[in-house]
Amino acid sequence: MLNRRVRIFAAIACAEPVWCSWVAIDSGIDASRLSINCLTIVMANLLRRNIIRPPIKFVRLISMIRHVSRMLAMMYCVCSQPAHSDLGAPEVAPPLSFSLFCIQYPADCQEQRDRRITNYRSRMQRWRELNQINATVNFGIMPKAMSASRNDYEWTIFPYDGNCGDYAVTKRHLLLRAGWPSSSLLLAEVIIRATGEHHLVLLVREGRAVFVLDNLNPIVFRLNEVSDQYVLVRTESEQNPLVWTRGRS
């Protein structure tokens, strides 16, 4: 049974209007009547203020539940994708980091139409825009150490430091905000031929040309100009940004 101090503190914590209505934790109230968000707020505050000190086994159980919930969310994101078929490009499972990214940034994983002013921006201006965004992101994000980068599976938009995935999704995010359609901005997992390392780049389709935006290169090149440097493993589909296909979509 919780003492009076805990009951009062729990009632104050649950008074947060965003999460739940006013409740009072007492021994006579069934815990099933409380919302999950409310209980989360209460437990987090109690633990942080050392009002209660659960045993180590309880803490490990909570941690395990967190990890299981996260894995279930990722499995749902992958398995709930609609069936899709590209001619000559078999569908494959997306990278795990991509599934995590779509949970955190759902707007960037939705289909977006072309909102560019075609009468104003010529191809040369679009070329300059690609180079400007590529250089800005490459300069604005500090490269993360290789040891830390290998264990980092979360892609973040404009972090302080990051790996190739952070660079690629940040460039794609800026181009989407500039009005580029999602069908032209394709994340691509490649293998660098020189090192055998898996790497993420952004492929940008402009007419019949495909350009490569890479954090390892300050200049934007056509894909056919650097095809001897990469092996395409899987890319986003043009028709659906949630679908990935083998090799070039």
Side-chain angles (χ1 to χ4, degrees):
M1 181 182 297
L2 296 176
N3 57 32
R4 184 173 180 273
R5 182 185 177 190
V6 174
R7 290 201 304 271
I8 295 175
F9 182 80
I12 295 175
C14 288
E16 185 73 31
V18 176
W19 293 100
C20 54
S21 59
W22 177 277
V23 295
I25 294 183
D26 202 344
S27 57
I29 298 179
D30 186 3
S32 62
R33 295 171 58 186
L34 302 177
S35 67
I36 296 177
N37 288 330
C38 182
L39 290 177
T40 302
I41 296 172
V42 173
M43 293 304 299
N45 283 280
L46 294 179
L47 292 174
R48 185 168 61 249
R49 298 179 181 230
N50 290 326
I51 296 178
I52 59 173
R53 296 181 179 179
I56 298 179
K57 291 184 178 180
F58 178 77
V59 176
R60 291 177 178 174
L61 177 62
I62 294 298
S63 178
M64 183 175 65
I65 292 175
R66 279 187 61 226
H67 288 296
V68 170
S69 301
R70 192 174 186 180
M71 291 301 299
L72 289 175
M74 289 186 293
M75 291 175 61
Y76 173 79
C77 183
V78 174
C79 298
S80 62
Q81 295 175 359
H84 177 76
S85 177
D86 271 339
L87 295 177
E91 182 180 331
V92 296
L96 177 61
S97 298
F98 177 78
S99 300
L100 288 173
F101 175 80
C102 288
I103 295 175
Q104 187 175 4
Y105 303 98
D108 280 51
C109 297
Q110 298 176 357
E111 184 177 356
Q112 297 191 29
R113 297 181 179 180
D114 194 345
R115 294 182 288 106
R116 295 171 295 178
I117 303 176
T118 55
N119 294 332
Y120 171 72
R121 292 182 176 177
S122 63
R123 286 193 174 183
M124 183 57 66
Q125 289 172 318
R126 292 177 182 176
W127 168 258
R128 292 173 181 171
E129 185 177 36
L130 291 179
N131 278 276
Q132 182 180 6
I133 289 180
N134 186 62
T136 300
V137 175
N138 287 353
F139 179 77
I141 301 177
M142 294 288 294
K144 185 172 291 187
M146 184 61 67
S147 57
S149 179
R150 289 175 178 173
N151 297 324
D152 184 9
Y153 299 102
E154 295 187 4
W155 296 343
T156 306
I157 294 176
F158 256 128
Y160 172 76
D161 59 349
N163 55 27
C164 58
D166 302 314
Y167 286 93
V169 296
T170 300
K171 295 171 186 177
R172 187 176 185 274
H173 175 77
L174 293 178
L175 288 171
L176 284 173
R177 294 191 62 180
W180 287 69
S182 58
S183 58
S184 296
L185 308 173
L186 311 177
L187 296 172
E189 180 186 354
V190 301
I191 297 178
I192 302 177
R193 294 181 185 270
T195 62
E197 177 186 359
H198 281 255
H199 187 55
L200 193 76
V201 298
L202 178 64
L203 301 182
V204 179
R205 294 183 180 275
E206 176 59 25
R208 297 182 179 180
V210 179
F211 300 100
V212 181
L213 278 65
D214 190 348
N215 64 294
L216 300 180
N217 202 322
I219 304 175
V220 175
F221 286 100
R222 289 176 178 262
L223 180 60
N224 58 4
E225 296 176 343
V226 293
S227 59
D228 59 334
Q229 300 179 18
Y230 305 119
V231 176
L232 285 175
V233 178
R234 50 186 169 179
T235 65
E236 277 187 289
S237 169
E238 295 180 58
Q239 284 75 17
N240 189 338
L242 289 176
V243 174
W244 286 60
T245 57
R246 188 182 306 280
R248 183 175 175 179
S249 63

